Amino acid sequence: MTGSPRIAPAEITGIKGAVIRRFAKKKLGQVPASVGVYWHNQKVMMALSGVSAKVERWDACDEQLKSFAHMAVAARVGCSWCLDYNYFEA
C-alpha cells in the first residue's frame, strides 16, 4: 500500500479482531491500514461497516456512475488506498 494514515494503526487483537482480519482478507486480499486506525474506536468501525454494507446494496444509481463518484471523492480527499480499492472494484 502507498502512503500512511495520519493516525498510527493499532494492533488488531482478540477474537473480534481475528474475524475482522479474516473478512478483510477475504474481501480485499489484505487488511488495510485503515482497519487498524478504526480499531482505536471499535464502535465507530462497526457503525461504518454497517452503513457501508447497506450502501453496497443500493441499486437506484448506475454502477458506472457510482464507481466514478467513489473515485472522484477518493481523489478529492487524497486517499491513495481508496483510489486503488475503487479502481479494483470498477
Side-chain angles (χ1 to χ4, degrees):
M1 278 173 37
T2 60
S4 62
R6 295 179 187 147
I7 299 171
E11 184 180 352
I12 303 168
T13 59
I15 295 172
K16 186 178 184 182
V19 170
I20 289 169
R21 283 193 313 268
R22 183 177 172 105
F23 179 76
K25 285 180 183 177
K26 183 178 179 183
K27 184 170 183 178
L28 306 172
Q30 65 181 5
V31 180
S34 61
V35 174
V37 173
Y38 282 126
W39 194 251
H40 288 290
N41 192 331
Q42 295 175 25
K43 288 182 180 180
V44 170
M45 179 180 66
M46 297 309 289
L48 288 173
S49 297
V51 170
S52 294
K54 290 177 183 176
V55 169
E56 285 179 5
R57 291 191 296 266
W58 290 353
D59 63 355
C61 184
D62 178 63
E63 287 299 317
Q64 290 179 341
L65 181 59
K66 273 200 289 189
S67 177
F68 176 72
H70 290 168
M71 296 284 282
V73 170
R76 177 76 175 171
V77 300
C79 178
S80 60
W81 182 86
C82 299
L83 281 169
D84 292 342
Y85 175 73
N86 286 306
Y87 178 79
F88 169 77
E89 283 290 306

